[in-house]
Every structure is written in C-alpha cells, then in structure tokens.
Amino acid sequence: MTAKELWSSRTAFLFAAIGAAVGFGNIWRFPALAYEYGGGAFFVPYALALTFVGIPMLVLEIAMGQHRRTGDVGCFGDMMHERLRGIGLSSVLCGFFVTAYYVPLIAWVTRAFFESFGRMKDDWEDINGNDATAYFYDRVIGMSTLDGDDVRPTRIVWTNVFYLFVVWSIIGTCLAFGIKWTGRIAYVTMGLPIVLLVFFFARAVTLPGASVGIHAYIGQWDLSVLRDRPDVWSTAVTQIFFSLGVTFGVMTAFGSHCPRDAPARDNSIIIALANSFFSFVSGFAVFGVLGYLKQYQEDDDANFDDIVQSGPALLFGAYPAALSTVPGGLYWVRFLFFNLFLLGIDSAFALTEGVVSVLKDSALGATASHRTIVCGTVSFGFMAGLLYVTDSGLFFLDVIDFYVNFVMLLVGFVKTFSAGWIYGMTDQIEALGSKVVLAYIGTTFGSVMVASCIWFGMDADTALAGFVVLCLCHGAGMYYCDILLVERVEMHPGRGWTLPMIRRELMLGNVLKLKDELEGTVGPLSYGWAVLIKHFIPPTLLVLFFNLACAKNTDGQSDFGHFAGYEPWPFQILGISAVIVVVLVFVVGAVRPRYYDVLVSNRGRRGGDDDELSSSDAAEVAAITAAGYKNAADTDSEHSSSSSSSSKGGGSGNGNGNGNVN
C-alpha cells in the first residue's frame, strides 16, 4: 500500500476546498434567497447557521479525515464503530448522485459557451429574459420536443451527450495525476473565477440603475420576515449545509490528504468564510445587472419579482440577457459561461474525488492503480449522467436534487449523532450504566420528535404549543436521568462522584474525549465546538428533516412522493428510489458490518498510528518535519517507490502525516 499522497501546499488545499464549496448555487440561489426573505434580514439566520451549523460540521469532517488519513467510510467505521461504515458510504453515495446531475449542468454551460460564437450571436440581439430562458431550455437542453404537460423523456439529445463526454473527460484527466495536480489546477479553476467576479462586480455596480437592484438585494431590512416566515430559518440552514458541501464525503477526503498536524479549525473557518464572501459579492454582481435590466426595459412600475428568479431561469435567462445589452454584451455573456464552467468543474472535481478516495482506501486500492480507479469512476458517472441529457433532463435534475437534499439532512443528522453520541458510548455505559445513557438519548431526541410532530403535523399555528411540549418532555426526562444518576452515586460512594460531576460526564464526557483525540493531531478545537456537535446540530437537523418530510404542495399533498406535481413514473419513483438506496446502504452496514470490510484497507483500519510506520515512511516524516509543507511534496515524490515496496510488508501509510503547515 503506497503512502497517502499530500497536497502540494496548504494554499493548494484551500483553493481546492473553496472551489469545492463555491458553485452554481452561490450565484443563482443565494442572492435570490436574500431578496425573497427580506433583503438584508436574511443575513441574520444565514450568519447564525454558518456559525453554529456549517463551520462546526466542516471542522468535524476535515479533522476526522486528517486525523485518520482516510475517507468517510474508514473514519466512521474505525473511530466510531464498524457498524457505522454505512454512514460514510451513504454520504459518498449522495455525493455521487449529485455529481451525476451536476456534470450534465456543466455540459449545458459548455454548450452555451461554444454556441455564443455561433447561432447565439444572431438569436440574442436585443433579447429579453424570457426569450433567453426559452432559448436555453429549448435549444441547449433540448426541451422543445416535449409534449405540453407530459414532460416524460422522448429522446436523447446527442449533442449534449458529446458535451457530457467532454466534461467527464476533463474531470478524469485532471484527477488522474493525483491530488497534487488537482490542487495545482485549483489555482486556475478557483483563482480565475475570483478575478472574474471582481470584473463582474465592478461592471455591475457602475451600470445605470444598478442602485435599484442592489437596494432590492440588501438595502431593505424587513426583519418581520424572521417572525412571520419561520421557514427562513430552515432555508438559511439548508443553504449553508449544502453550499459548504458537508456530508458528501468530500471534505473528509480532502482532509485525509493534509498533514495530520495541519490546523483543521483554521482551515475550515477560511473555507467557510471564503464561500460565504463569494456568495455575498455575487449578489452585488447579479442584482446590479438586474437593476440595470429593469431600467433598460423602461418599465419603472415593473415588479422586481418578475425579474428575480432562482435556479437556471436566473443564471441562463435574466442575467445573461441583461449582460447581452451592455456594451460588448456578448463578450460578457461568454465570460459568464466560462466563469460558470470553472466554478462547476471545481465542485465536480471534489465530488468525484470523494468517490475515488473511498475506493483507493479500500481493498481495491491495493490491486488497482489510481488512474484505473479514476477511469472507472468517471465512466460510471458518464453512464449515470445520460439520464440528464434527455429532453427531460432538467426535470430529472429538479426531482433528484429535491430527494437528495431530503436524505442528506438525515445523513447529516446521523453523522453528527455518531460523533456526538455514539463515540465513547461504551465507556459511558461502563461508567454510568446503560439505563441512564439510553434515557438521556431518549430525552434529548424524543422530546424533539414529539415537538416536531406538533409543529409540522398540524395545520394550526402550533409554534408555542410545540415549544411548551418540548420543554415539558425534556424537563421530565432530565428529572428521571437525575434520579438514575443519584442512584449511581450512592451505589459507588468510594469513587468520589458528585452529582454535577457525573451529570457533566453524561452530557459531554464522550464528545470531549473526541475533542481530545482530534486535538492530539489536528490542533486546538474549542469547547463550544464539542457542545454544538452533540447538543445543537443533531436536534436542529432532525427538526429540519421533519419540516421537509411534512412539507406540502399547493394541493395539500406531501411533497415527498408528489414533488412539484411530477408524474409518479419515472420522476417520483426514481427520486424515492434514491432515498431508499441511501437508507438501505446505511442499514446494511449497521446490521451486517462485515459486508463493508472490503471498503477498509489496513491503513484505513489503523488510521494514523505513528508507531506502525515503515522505515522509509519514518525517514519521510523526519524530512517533512525539517523541511516543512512544501518540501513534503518533493519528499513524497522522491520516496514513492521505496514507500510502495516497504508498505507491501504491512507498513502503515501514515508517514506523510507530520509535516508543518506554513
């Protein structure tokens, strides 16, 4: 088994990770959400979600991958329990589902870019937003052959198959040379969009009418939204949740290629803040142009709601249509499509790397080369993407995206529940007894589930009633737990326990041990992080899951199984099947953990045990420590052959894990 390859530098890792987080949603979803939910008022729940959900989860994933030097499957199977390997596999599977429809989206962008040099030059003369959207839907996606309300597929759009093949080929080529080259490529694929964003921002804010659009984006602060529209809180959390890319297995895989003593907390904060800053600035670039479009149409009475749309209609309709009307308009449209390609390809790299990392850390990694694994992953991804290059591709994307988002809340809950509650549970039971440990779990989550049923299962305004029930259930449960703890103290008087001491052990003992274990390698983690991982994030995600599960459409039907009114076959059935597969993968791992033994190599089982280093790896550690992060890259290259030969004798692949991050 060869040693784990490291990033070429800390900067390369940060660029790649930021590129993984920043994507289409930063441009087409975030600004539209801010406008919809009270302008600047949306930043209140958004900032809270970033601070209390997004960053702690990002720290958890990067720190675990970095500490164990493996992906999600190995981390949860080794650190938590072998029955939890299915959690890691479920998250990576969700990431693959996203990749399957994300790459076709990049293919559409690529086609639009090249068509801007051909037919689009004539068709986009003085075009408006609706016509631009129609052009993209009918011409680029190929939806013109659909029959009215029947949106089931009628054909494969072969031109899009070609572009899908091109994009997957680019992804495979870039990943085939290893993580070092992926990081170096990220300098371009993430660095250039930052430069282009500056140009888009500068052009947008100097256009006539830009101030009108910017005022609609952030100038108004309708704080009543925070009270009158409670869904703004769940929307902010899900935006952060999915924008950062947590629970897809991506950040764990990226972290596994960092030196073990890299500052995981600092890196996570940089990644999260950079992602949010990109979204914030993109809002000015988008709404400045939309304000200009409103003035250009010479309709002062026009409602901004008619211009501002979320999703492809904004990104491929109103926004490029507005850009096409400014001086040098078609060049700005081309820059937009090129920028979108770079943003998309970065995220595709990361999502694909999550799958590749799991396969490389498995027994397959001992027999197949890196390029073989990449080629197989890319080929399978291309075949899965054929569903989205039919004339119904956009509808399949819409449906699968909804159901993946639905199940990802559940995956996120299980991941944080495992880290905050399952880790160290055996020691807790041994010290405190199983009855009180299980009673505390039931108290915490049972009260949340009962309250959620009241909040989301009834049509009346039950917010206050739900909180009252939550407090009563939780209070009664904690009273019972205290009774059990007092009995435990009285049973073992010689241990010197007090009630506050043993209560703290029950509430935080195990997660603080997780914090201590991670701090031994990845640097300092705050006490507050441990509290959030155990007591805030899992209940919050559980509430959001219930909220989405109980959501209803305009006809009063549950969104689950009736999303957006799509036909049961093939749309709803495919979406529900994706959910079932993800849940089944987790259940199989919990019931039959040995089925997933093949996914964990010897290195994955041992993680980062420095006492098992081979001689060549030990020499490499010394070189890394002396020379720093940059020299680690050179050392890895120089010793790759010797590491490979020595590791065949069972040496651990942890030799790269002690470089300094400068």
Side-chain angles (χ1 to χ4, degrees), residues 404-419:
V404 169
N405 286 354
F406 178 88
V407 76
M408 283 308 298
L409 288 174
L410 186 60
V411 172
F413 162 75
V414 176
K415 289 183 98 170
T416 50
F417 179 81
S418 299

mmCIF file with all atom_site columns, all heavy atoms in Angstrom, residues 404-419:
data_model
loop_
_atom_site.group_PDB
_atom_site.id
_atom_site.type_symbol
_atom_site.label_atom_id
_atom_site.label_alt_id
_atom_site.label_comp_id
_atom_site.label_asym_id
_atom_site.label_entity_id
_atom_site.label_seq_id
_atom_site.pdbx_PDB_ins_code
_atom_site.Cartn_x
_atom_site.Cartn_y
_atom_site.Cartn_z
_atom_site.occupancy
_atom_site.B_iso_or_equiv
_atom_site.pdbx_formal_charge
_atom_site.auth_seq_id
_atom_site.auth_comp_id
_atom_site.auth_asym_id
_atom_site.auth_atom_id
_atom_site.pdbx_PDB_model_num
ATOM 1   N N   . VAL A 1 404 ? -32.407 14.122 -2.924 1.00 0.00 ? 404 VAL A N   1
ATOM 2   C CA  . VAL A 1 404 ? -31.072 14.030 -2.337 1.00 0.00 ? 404 VAL A CA  1
ATOM 3   C C   . VAL A 1 404 ? -30.943 15.002 -1.167 1.00 0.00 ? 404 VAL A C   1
ATOM 4   O O   . VAL A 1 404 ? -30.408 14.659 -0.109 1.00 0.00 ? 404 VAL A O   1
ATOM 5   C CB  . VAL A 1 404 ? -29.984 14.296 -3.397 1.00 0.00 ? 404 VAL A CB  1
ATOM 6   C CG1 . VAL A 1 404 ? -28.615 14.474 -2.737 1.00 0.00 ? 404 VAL A CG1 1
ATOM 7   C CG2 . VAL A 1 404 ? -29.922 13.146 -4.390 1.00 0.00 ? 404 VAL A CG2 1
ATOM 8   N N   . ASN A 1 405 ? -31.446 16.233 -1.360 1.00 0.00 ? 405 ASN A N   1
ATOM 9   C CA  . ASN A 1 405 ? -31.431 17.192 -0.253 1.00 0.00 ? 405 ASN A CA  1
ATOM 10  C C   . ASN A 1 405 ? -32.206 16.660 0.944  1.00 0.00 ? 405 ASN A C   1
ATOM 11  O O   . ASN A 1 405 ? -31.814 16.860 2.103  1.00 0.00 ? 405 ASN A O   1
ATOM 12  C CB  . ASN A 1 405 ? -32.038 18.523 -0.708 1.00 0.00 ? 405 ASN A CB  1
ATOM 13  C CG  . ASN A 1 405 ? -31.107 19.289 -1.613 1.00 0.00 ? 405 ASN A CG  1
ATOM 14  O OD1 . ASN A 1 405 ? -29.966 18.912 -1.824 1.00 0.00 ? 405 ASN A OD1 1
ATOM 15  N ND2 . ASN A 1 405 ? -31.602 20.373 -2.176 1.00 0.00 ? 405 ASN A ND2 1
ATOM 16  N N   . PHE A 1 406 ? -33.301 15.995 0.673  1.00 0.00 ? 406 PHE A N   1
ATOM 17  C CA  . PHE A 1 406 ? -34.128 15.415 1.734  1.00 0.00 ? 406 PHE A CA  1
ATOM 18  C C   . PHE A 1 406 ? -33.327 14.398 2.542  1.00 0.00 ? 406 PHE A C   1
ATOM 19  O O   . PHE A 1 406 ? -33.264 14.468 3.768  1.00 0.00 ? 406 PHE A O   1
ATOM 20  C CB  . PHE A 1 406 ? -35.355 14.766 1.088  1.00 0.00 ? 406 PHE A CB  1
ATOM 21  C CG  . PHE A 1 406 ? -36.273 14.078 2.057  1.00 0.00 ? 406 PHE A CG  1
ATOM 22  C CD1 . PHE A 1 406 ? -37.288 14.769 2.686  1.00 0.00 ? 406 PHE A CD1 1
ATOM 23  C CD2 . PHE A 1 406 ? -36.123 12.728 2.339  1.00 0.00 ? 406 PHE A CD2 1
ATOM 24  C CE1 . PHE A 1 406 ? -38.138 14.139 3.579  1.00 0.00 ? 406 PHE A CE1 1
ATOM 25  C CE2 . PHE A 1 406 ? -36.966 12.080 3.230  1.00 0.00 ? 406 PHE A CE2 1
ATOM 26  C CZ  . PHE A 1 406 ? -37.978 12.795 3.850  1.00 0.00 ? 406 PHE A CZ  1
ATOM 27  N N   . VAL A 1 407 ? -32.704 13.460 1.867  1.00 0.00 ? 407 VAL A N   1
ATOM 28  C CA  . VAL A 1 407 ? -31.999 12.391 2.577  1.00 0.00 ? 407 VAL A CA  1
ATOM 29  C C   . VAL A 1 407 ? -30.687 12.893 3.172  1.00 0.00 ? 407 VAL A C   1
ATOM 30  O O   . VAL A 1 407 ? -30.201 12.352 4.166  1.00 0.00 ? 407 VAL A O   1
ATOM 31  C CB  . VAL A 1 407 ? -31.762 11.188 1.638  1.00 0.00 ? 407 VAL A CB  1
ATOM 32  C CG1 . VAL A 1 407 ? -30.624 11.448 0.665  1.00 0.00 ? 407 VAL A CG1 1
ATOM 33  C CG2 . VAL A 1 407 ? -31.483 9.931  2.446  1.00 0.00 ? 407 VAL A CG2 1
ATOM 34  N N   . MET A 1 408 ? -30.106 13.959 2.603  1.00 0.00 ? 408 MET A N   1
ATOM 35  C CA  . MET A 1 408 ? -28.855 14.473 3.146  1.00 0.00 ? 408 MET A CA  1
ATOM 36  C C   . MET A 1 408 ? -29.039 15.071 4.528  1.00 0.00 ? 408 MET A C   1
ATOM 37  O O   . MET A 1 408 ? -28.123 15.055 5.350  1.00 0.00 ? 408 MET A O   1
ATOM 38  C CB  . MET A 1 408 ? -28.249 15.516 2.202  1.00 0.00 ? 408 MET A CB  1
ATOM 39  C CG  . MET A 1 408 ? -27.558 14.917 0.990  1.00 0.00 ? 408 MET A CG  1
ATOM 40  S SD  . MET A 1 408 ? -26.341 13.649 1.398  1.00 0.00 ? 408 MET A SD  1
ATOM 41  C CE  . MET A 1 408 ? -25.192 14.593 2.369  1.00 0.00 ? 408 MET A CE  1
ATOM 42  N N   . LEU A 1 409 ? -30.219 15.618 4.819  1.00 0.00 ? 409 LEU A N   1
ATOM 43  C CA  . LEU A 1 409 ? -30.488 16.078 6.180  1.00 0.00 ? 409 LEU A CA  1
ATOM 44  C C   . LEU A 1 409 ? -30.413 14.908 7.157  1.00 0.00 ? 409 LEU A C   1
ATOM 45  O O   . LEU A 1 409 ? -29.880 15.034 8.267  1.00 0.00 ? 409 LEU A O   1
ATOM 46  C CB  . LEU A 1 409 ? -31.864 16.743 6.256  1.00 0.00 ? 409 LEU A CB  1
ATOM 47  C CG  . LEU A 1 409 ? -31.995 18.116 5.601  1.00 0.00 ? 409 LEU A CG  1
ATOM 48  C CD1 . LEU A 1 409 ? -33.447 18.574 5.637  1.00 0.00 ? 409 LEU A CD1 1
ATOM 49  C CD2 . LEU A 1 409 ? -31.104 19.134 6.294  1.00 0.00 ? 409 LEU A CD2 1
ATOM 50  N N   . LEU A 1 410 ? -30.937 13.766 6.726  1.00 0.00 ? 410 LEU A N   1
ATOM 51  C CA  . LEU A 1 410 ? -30.889 12.573 7.571  1.00 0.00 ? 410 LEU A CA  1
ATOM 52  C C   . LEU A 1 410 ? -29.453 12.081 7.725  1.00 0.00 ? 410 LEU A C   1
ATOM 53  O O   . LEU A 1 410 ? -29.026 11.703 8.829  1.00 0.00 ? 410 LEU A O   1
ATOM 54  C CB  . LEU A 1 410 ? -31.777 11.481 6.977  1.00 0.00 ? 410 LEU A CB  1
ATOM 55  C CG  . LEU A 1 410 ? -31.964 10.212 7.810  1.00 0.00 ? 410 LEU A CG  1
ATOM 56  C CD1 . LEU A 1 410 ? -32.594 10.552 9.155  1.00 0.00 ? 410 LEU A CD1 1
ATOM 57  C CD2 . LEU A 1 410 ? -32.832 9.208  7.052  1.00 0.00 ? 410 LEU A CD2 1
ATOM 58  N N   . VAL A 1 411 ? -28.701 12.098 6.635  1.00 0.00 ? 411 VAL A N   1
ATOM 59  C CA  . VAL A 1 411 ? -27.301 11.675 6.700  1.00 0.00 ? 411 VAL A CA  1
ATOM 60  C C   . VAL A 1 411 ? -26.505 12.603 7.622  1.00 0.00 ? 411 VAL A C   1
ATOM 61  O O   . VAL A 1 411 ? -25.689 12.154 8.436  1.00 0.00 ? 411 VAL A O   1
ATOM 62  C CB  . VAL A 1 411 ? -26.678 11.643 5.288  1.00 0.00 ? 411 VAL A CB  1
ATOM 63  C CG1 . VAL A 1 411 ? -25.175 11.399 5.363  1.00 0.00 ? 411 VAL A CG1 1
ATOM 64  C CG2 . VAL A 1 411 ? -27.343 10.569 4.437  1.00 0.00 ? 411 VAL A CG2 1
ATOM 65  N N   . GLY A 1 412 ? -26.757 13.916 7.498  1.00 0.00 ? 412 GLY A N   1
ATOM 66  C CA  . GLY A 1 412 ? -26.072 14.872 8.361  1.00 0.00 ? 412 GLY A CA  1
ATOM 67  C C   . GLY A 1 412 ? -26.403 14.647 9.824  1.00 0.00 ? 412 GLY A C   1
ATOM 68  O O   . GLY A 1 412 ? -25.529 14.738 10.695 1.00 0.00 ? 412 GLY A O   1
ATOM 69  N N   . PHE A 1 413 ? -27.665 14.336 10.093 1.00 0.00 ? 413 PHE A N   1
ATOM 70  C CA  . PHE A 1 413 ? -28.051 14.038 11.478 1.00 0.00 ? 413 PHE A CA  1
ATOM 71  C C   . PHE A 1 413 ? -27.317 12.809 11.993 1.00 0.00 ? 413 PHE A C   1
ATOM 72  O O   . PHE A 1 413 ? -26.773 12.817 13.112 1.00 0.00 ? 413 PHE A O   1
ATOM 73  C CB  . PHE A 1 413 ? -29.568 13.816 11.561 1.00 0.00 ? 413 PHE A CB  1
ATOM 74  C CG  . PHE A 1 413 ? -30.001 13.110 12.812 1.00 0.00 ? 413 PHE A CG  1
ATOM 75  C CD1 . PHE A 1 413 ? -30.022 13.778 14.027 1.00 0.00 ? 413 PHE A CD1 1
ATOM 76  C CD2 . PHE A 1 413 ? -30.362 11.763 12.790 1.00 0.00 ? 413 PHE A CD2 1
ATOM 77  C CE1 . PHE A 1 413 ? -30.405 13.126 15.197 1.00 0.00 ? 413 PHE A CE1 1
ATOM 78  C CE2 . PHE A 1 413 ? -30.748 11.102 13.945 1.00 0.00 ? 413 PHE A CE2 1
ATOM 79  C CZ  . PHE A 1 413 ? -30.765 11.790 15.152 1.00 0.00 ? 413 PHE A CZ  1
ATOM 80  N N   . VAL A 1 414 ? -27.279 11.745 11.214 1.00 0.00 ? 414 VAL A N   1
ATOM 81  C CA  . VAL A 1 414 ? -26.645 10.507 11.660 1.00 0.00 ? 414 VAL A CA  1
ATOM 82  C C   . VAL A 1 414 ? -25.146 10.712 11.868 1.00 0.00 ? 414 VAL A C   1
ATOM 83  O O   . VAL A 1 414 ? -24.554 10.175 12.810 1.00 0.00 ? 414 VAL A O   1
ATOM 84  C CB  . VAL A 1 414 ? -26.923 9.364  10.659 1.00 0.00 ? 414 VAL A CB  1
ATOM 85  C CG1 . VAL A 1 414 ? -26.185 8.100  11.075 1.00 0.00 ? 414 VAL A CG1 1
ATOM 86  C CG2 . VAL A 1 414 ? -28.416 9.082  10.568 1.00 0.00 ? 414 VAL A CG2 1
ATOM 87  N N   . LYS A 1 415 ? -24.505 11.531 11.005 1.00 0.00 ? 415 LYS A N   1
ATOM 88  C CA  . LYS A 1 415 ? -23.071 11.770 11.159 1.00 0.00 ? 415 LYS A CA  1
ATOM 89  C C   . LYS A 1 415 ? -22.767 12.504 12.460 1.00 0.00 ? 415 LYS A C   1
ATOM 90  O O   . LYS A 1 415 ? -21.867 12.112 13.222 1.00 0.00 ? 415 LYS A O   1
ATOM 91  C CB  . LYS A 1 415 ? -22.537 12.584 9.969  1.00 0.00 ? 415 LYS A CB  1
ATOM 92  C CG  . LYS A 1 415 ? -22.487 11.818 8.663  1.00 0.00 ? 415 LYS A CG  1
ATOM 93  C CD  . LYS A 1 415 ? -21.879 12.651 7.548  1.00 0.00 ? 415 LYS A CD  1
ATOM 94  C CE  . LYS A 1 415 ? -20.435 12.322 7.355  1.00 0.00 ? 415 LYS A CE  1
ATOM 95  N NZ  . LYS A 1 415 ? -19.861 12.935 6.144  1.00 0.00 ? 415 LYS A NZ  1
ATOM 96  N N   . THR A 1 416 ? -23.507 13.569 12.732 1.00 0.00 ? 416 THR A N   1
ATOM 97  C CA  . THR A 1 416 ? -23.247 14.322 13.954 1.00 0.00 ? 416 THR A CA  1
ATOM 98  C C   . THR A 1 416 ? -23.722 13.551 15.191 1.00 0.00 ? 416 THR A C   1
ATOM 99  O O   . THR A 1 416 ? -23.115 13.663 16.264 1.00 0.00 ? 416 THR A O   1
ATOM 100 C CB  . THR A 1 416 ? -23.922 15.696 13.902 1.00 0.00 ? 416 THR A CB  1
ATOM 101 O OG1 . THR A 1 416 ? -25.305 15.556 13.528 1.00 0.00 ? 416 THR A OG1 1
ATOM 102 C CG2 . THR A 1 416 ? -23.229 16.594 12.891 1.00 0.00 ? 416 THR A CG2 1
ATOM 103 N N   . PHE A 1 417 ? -24.782 12.761 15.050 1.00 0.00 ? 417 PHE A N   1
ATOM 104 C CA  . PHE A 1 417 ? -25.227 11.912 16.156 1.00 0.00 ? 417 PHE A CA  1
ATOM 105 C C   . PHE A 1 417 ? -24.150 10.884 16.495 1.00 0.00 ? 417 PHE A C   1
ATOM 106 O O   . PHE A 1 417 ? -23.883 10.610 17.672 1.00 0.00 ? 417 PHE A O   1
ATOM 107 C CB  . PHE A 1 417 ? -26.534 11.215 15.782 1.00 0.00 ? 417 PHE A CB  1
ATOM 108 C CG  . PHE A 1 417 ? -27.057 10.291 16.852 1.00 0.00 ? 417 PHE A CG  1
ATOM 109 C CD1 . PHE A 1 417 ? -27.763 10.782 17.937 1.00 0.00 ? 417 PHE A CD1 1
ATOM 110 C CD2 . PHE A 1 417 ? -26.833 8.917  16.776 1.00 0.00 ? 417 PHE A CD2 1
ATOM 111 C CE1 . PHE A 1 417 ? -28.234 9.923  18.932 1.00 0.00 ? 417 PHE A CE1 1
ATOM 112 C CE2 . PHE A 1 417 ? -27.297 8.056  17.756 1.00 0.00 ? 417 PHE A CE2 1
ATOM 113 C CZ  . PHE A 1 417 ? -28.003 8.569  18.840 1.00 0.00 ? 417 PHE A CZ  1
ATOM 114 N N   . SER A 1 418 ? -23.517 10.338 15.475 1.00 0.00 ? 418 SER A N   1
ATOM 115 C CA  . SER A 1 418 ? -22.453 9.359  15.708 1.00 0.00 ? 418 SER A CA  1
ATOM 116 C C   . SER A 1 418 ? -21.260 9.996  16.416 1.00 0.00 ? 418 SER A C   1
ATOM 117 O O   . SER A 1 418 ? -20.689 9.409  17.336 1.00 0.00 ? 418 SER A O   1
ATOM 118 C CB  . SER A 1 418 ? -22.003 8.750  14.374 1.00 0.00 ? 418 SER A CB  1
ATOM 119 O OG  . SER A 1 418 ? -23.071 8.083  13.734 1.00 0.00 ? 418 SER A OG  1
ATOM 120 N N   . ALA A 1 419 ? -20.888 11.206 15.962 1.00 0.00 ? 419 ALA A N   1
ATOM 121 C CA  . ALA A 1 419 ? -19.743 11.882 16.567 1.00 0.00 ? 419 ALA A CA  1
ATOM 122 C C   . ALA A 1 419 ? -20.049 12.352 17.980 1.00 0.00 ? 419 ALA A C   1
ATOM 123 O O   . ALA A 1 419 ? -19.189 12.262 18.875 1.00 0.00 ? 419 ALA A O   1
ATOM 124 C CB  . ALA A 1 419 ? -19.325 13.071 15.701 1.00 0.00 ? 419 ALA A CB  1
#
